[in-house]
Amino acid sequence: MTVVPSTRIYEGTRIPPRVPTILDVDPSKHDPGDILRVNFGPNHPSTHGVLRLIVDLDGEAIAGIEAVIGYLHTGFEKTMEQKSWWKSVTYPARIDYLGFHANELEYVLAIEKLLGIDVPRRATWARMALAELNRIHSHLVWLGTAALELGAISMFWYAFDDRDAVLDLFELAGGTRLHTRYVQAGGLAEDLPPGFTDEVRKFCAAMPKSVDEYETILDKQKIWLERTKGIGLLSADDALALGQSGPVLRASGVDWDLRKNMPYLAYDEVDFDVPVYANGDVYDRYKVHMDEMRESVRIVLQCCDRLDEMEGEPWIADDRKVVLPPRHELHTSMESLIYHFKIVTEGYRVPEGEVYVVIESPRGEAGCYLVSDGGARPWRVKFRAPSFAALQATATVVQGALVADMVAVAASLDFIMGDTDR
Amino acid sequence: MAERRPQLALKRELPLVSDRPLARAGLQSERVLWPERGPGVFEREVAEIEDALLLTTIDKAVAWARSGSVWPDTFGLACCAIEMMSIVSSRYDIARFGMERFSSSPRQADLLIVSGRVTHKMAPAIRQVYDQMLEPKWVIAMGACASSGGMFNNYTILQGVDKILPVDIHVPGCPPRPEALIEGIVRLHEKIRAGVPPAYEIRGVAE
Amino acid sequence: MTYEAVPGVVETREAFGETTLVVDPARLVEACTHLRDEEGFNLLSDIAAADYLGWGEQGVAGYIGTAAGRDLHEPGSQGLAHVPAPKPKRFSVSYHLLRVGDVPARVRVQVWLDDGEAVATLVPVWPAADWFEREAWDMVGVRFEGHPNLVRILMPDDWEGHPLRKDYPLGGEPVRFSGED
């Protein structure tokens, strides 16, 4: 893992000294009489959800900023404590609602770690393919909305058109566009439909050309470059100190990707590169997102090849204490009937323990801390939200920016308010 | 190339299920489609409207104009916002209804699509946005969370945005497909053209 | 992976491939500074506070039977004939650390507290701890000494109570069905 020396971006640290997440007005640089306090949100033109920023402006320059969150706090963690293990899998998808598969996956991986269950490899590879398709979906929505906010309005339509193609694939596999709830403790809820890999290949044939088109539109566009280059600087040391991960960390020069450095599922068996850029500004974060889309297409194609080889294999574990038996067995086997009854009424039980499972969601390090008391319901579920950590960096990243850049900077941190507030 | 005529909601060639005024005006509500169901709150409201309904030609023209360019407010809260954004995209194209002009300022918006779960912390902000809108204004509660609290029945989620706002159309789903939201929008247009007043004139907020 | 050099460690647990270091709350900052500087854990991944009020009382049979109404050790009773071991104190605060480097590693540092006890803040060690500690205070009610801005973050500012405590009700409303009055 290489780290570009952070002195290339800026010297020292820019984390505010008093409170790391609040930028205070510096009286030596700004006359306190010139400061105008503006409230940006929770309902605001940018499409990022209910974030409230209290900004102190000196003319157009940002002198102070504070982020106020909590407007979408849904109480996931408390609600999931009351639901059985089976039913609670519907909840995590709604946390990071762009990376819904990643959230479900981290929760289900945590349950499987506690259960110690063997997941069949067809399920593992299918989960990987869907996770990468989810990454493409999330980056496309990010691109469409970020470009829209910076003025490149037509990107919104192009990106969302491709995104509808991805959601068609999710609908083919999981039955619904968003929040598929396709993963389940032990594997997949149902087998992949026949012809799924062909449809995915068709999409992957068209996708890299789309990414090339987007880059043609944006990469050398003078306005785009002026609005993103050199804006929103974050050095590698500051990024690590603030708990950043994912594209933000990779754009600051740190070569860190959980899929490569701490692989989960079958990521150590696929071939892909991790894009790392060294300037730590909004432009580099945009480049990281674009390159990641291309790499995800590579991974998905490899998964399709492997899935074709595994045609006909089981898609869920065989452990009847956790997984419902196939319906036709209920007519003939008494034990299956009993297992079915126990699982449906009480729910399966997960052994006592605590685990912390982290995956690389489209936003970065997304984790699930799960405590079980051996019963039919979770005792404590805590989701580590990458957007929560990303928003902590607002005070550091926005220094030296003008108010028009604030939107660009906030968009580049790629946060989702559902993820932040949970 | 065959000439295609746009299908307007009012001119749909569906059999009339009743000859009450709203049915004749084209409103495809449950009350009209299932006349044998017993009356509930909505049915009583509709009966009151029907008996008072006397649309002049001017009223119909104004209603037609209003329904043709209902400008929504960019009020995306959670996952439903993503599906709301996708009705703007080219596949589901809301511009054919004259609604692609999302307005960030509530002063210039006609329609508030509450898309997502509403927390107690956010409720005053929503009410303020709604109050800033100029009449006539309509509200669509999109999704299960905005309609009734959805899958979250806890200390922090408002159990339905109709506790603080009068809602015209509830769209079920978690999240509703873009087609479902467009169905809700089309029904809103039908309501407007049929002369049904916006919700703040008919009802207050829920208990 | 041994963590013998870390000061203040009371107990080390290995389970499910993860290492948990239970640390004396009074020496938490020392332990974490050592982990950051000597062992190279440069990224604070998460701070998770948990409330263990009522741990083990419900019995492993879930909502079927309680400790008072069913003897879990009776042979033939549903579920495992096993009640989880009691926890040392009511609250646990788990700090999940990550080493971003050539030898990636994760470790969990855990402290146990009673209601009203406070633990030192880790904001001087990792600035990322700021909002995580505010969330732990807001949701569970654990105080962090020395935190520069310990106010509510997710709940409205004037909210009373700490929602993720086990004695705080889930809230919500009883569901009414149309057709009944």
Side-chain angles (χ1 to χ4, degrees), chain C residues 21 41 43 47 53-54 64-65 69 77 93 99-100 103 123 125 136 140-141 157-158 160 164 178:
Chain C
L21 305 172
F41 285 97
L43 197 120
I47 301 182
L53 184 71
I64 304 174
S77 71
V93 184
R99 183 193 295 141
V100 173
V103 184
V123 172
V125 182
V140 180
D157 294 326
D158 50 357
E160 280 174 22
L164 274 168
S178 59

Side-chain angles (χ1 to χ4, degrees), chain A residues 13 44 54 87 108 140 166 177 226 309 339 367 372 406:
Chain A
T13 176
H44 51 78
I54 303 176
K87 290 187 183 169
V108 165
L140 280 170
V166 176
R177 285 156 53 102
E226 290 235 9
E309 286 166 31
Y339 279 132
S372 165
M406 185 180 67

Side-chain angles (χ1 to χ4, degrees), chain A residues 325 329-331 333-343:
Chain A
E329 270 189 29
L330 297 181
H331 299 295
S333 160
M334 190 61 202
E335 287 78 23
S336 295
L337 195 62
I338 297 173
Y339 279 132
H340 182 103
F341 177 75
K342 286 282 307 200
I343 292 175

Side-chain angles (χ1 to χ4, degrees), chain C residues 29-42 125-126:
Chain C
V29 180
E30 219 185 304
C32 288
T33 315
H34 175 99
L35 282 166
R36 182 191 67 174
D37 297 329
E38 312 295 326
E39 309 273 356
F41 285 97
N42 44 12
V125 182
W126 292 288

Side-chain angles (χ1 to χ4, degrees), chain C:
Chain C
M1 180 101 8
T2 53
Y3 294 96
E4 283 152 358
V6 180
V9 173
V10 167
E11 190 196 334
T12 307
R13 284 203 299 262
E14 299 264 350
F16 304 103
E18 299 177 9
T19 311
T20 307
L21 305 172
V22 183
V23 164
D24 178 15
R27 300 185 69 190
L28 176 68
V29 180
E30 219 185 304
C32 288
T33 315
H34 175 99
L35 282 166
R36 182 191 67 174
D37 297 329
E38 312 295 326
E39 309 273 356
F41 285 97
N42 44 12
L43 197 120
L44 173 68
S45 183
D46 191 23
I47 301 182
D51 178 7
Y52 288 93
L53 184 71
W55 176 264
E57 278 167 28
Q58 194 152 53
V60 178
Y63 46 83
I64 304 174
T66 63
R70 177 190 284 269
D71 183 11
L72 290 161
H73 301 278
E74 182 73 30
S77 71
Q78 288 180 350
L80 307 166
H82 165 252
V83 178
K87 298 289 177 185
K89 289 190 181 179
R90 181 173 170 187
F91 296 108
S92 81
V93 184
S94 306
Y95 299 83
H96 293 99
L97 307 178
L98 169 66
R99 183 193 295 141
V100 173
D102 293 314
V103 184
R106 284 193 193 274
V107 76
R108 178 185 306 128
V109 175
Q110 208 169 64
V111 293
W112 290 88
L113 306 163
D114 271 322
D115 196 6
E117 272 180 36
V119 66
T121 181
L122 284 187
V123 172
V125 182
W126 292 288
D130 185 353
W131 274 10
F132 287 110
E133 288 180 352
R134 271 178 76 181
E135 188 194 347
W137 157 244
D138 189 4
M139 291 284 115
V140 180
V142 175
R143 274 210 150 263
F144 292 89
E145 293 291 335
H147 192 280
N149 189 25
L150 198 66
V151 293
R152 292 206 175 257
I153 185 171
L154 295 178
M155 303 307 297
D157 294 326
D158 50 357
W159 198 263
E160 280 174 22
H162 299 281
L164 274 168
R165 289 194 171 195
K166 292 289 175 181
D167 45 3
Y168 191 91
L170 179 61
E173 291 180 2
V175 179
R176 293 186 314 193
F177 294 89
S178 59
E180 55 180 49
D181 280 317

Side-chain angles (χ1 to χ4, degrees), chain A residues 220-235:
Chain A
K220 303 232 171 39
Q221 223 278 347
K222 185 115 196 330
I223 301 180
W224 182 259
L225 290 173
E226 290 235 9
R227 286 202 74 171
T228 55
K229 266 213 178 286
I231 309 284
L233 299 171
L234 187 67
S235 73

